[in-house]
Amino acid sequence: MEEFLKIFAERLALLRNEKNLSQRELASIIGVGKSTINQYESMERSPKIEQLYKLAKFFNVSVSYLIGESDERNLK
């Protein structure tokens, strides 16, 4: 579980920073609190499946990429 959280945290921060979004801005986009994004990126909390899908859709990546099951980043 910890490896999943580490990869998810790293990839989420990378994607968010590539779009020059603050944690607060991303939180607003997917409908969670800013502290939730902070907890995701600091590995204090794992995302619910609903948030995983929202994040994947927003960043145009697969859920598999977000959680480290795949290194294939972009959806076809």
Side-chain angles (χ1 to χ4, degrees):
M1 183 68 153
E2 190 170 312
E3 186 64 23
F4 149 77
L5 284 176
K6 182 177 187 279
I7 292 170
F8 172 71
E10 290 171 354
R11 291 186 175 181
L12 178 60
L14 174 73
L15 292 165
R16 182 179 59 75
N17 287 321
E18 285 178 354
K19 288 196 176 271
N20 294 312
L21 292 171
S22 68
Q23 290 180 343
R24 186 175 310 282
E25 290 168 325
L26 180 57
S28 177
I29 289 166
I30 68 162
V32 298
K34 183 246 181 213
S35 63
T36 298
I37 300 299
N38 181 271
Q39 290 170 336
Y40 290 165
E41 291 185 6
S42 61
M43 299 183 349
E44 296 172 27
R45 181 176 181 176
S46 59
K48 294 180 180 175
I49 193 72
E50 179 183 350
Q51 275 71 44
L52 273 177
Y53 280 106
K54 286 180 179 181
L55 289 163
K57 184 175 181 178
F58 176 74
F59 289 116
N60 195 35
V61 297
S62 67
V63 170
S64 293
Y65 172 78
L66 277 176
I67 63 172
E69 287 183 339
S70 170
D71 290 330
E72 184 71 30
R73 183 174 176 166
N74 295 321
L75 295 173
K76 304 270 190 240

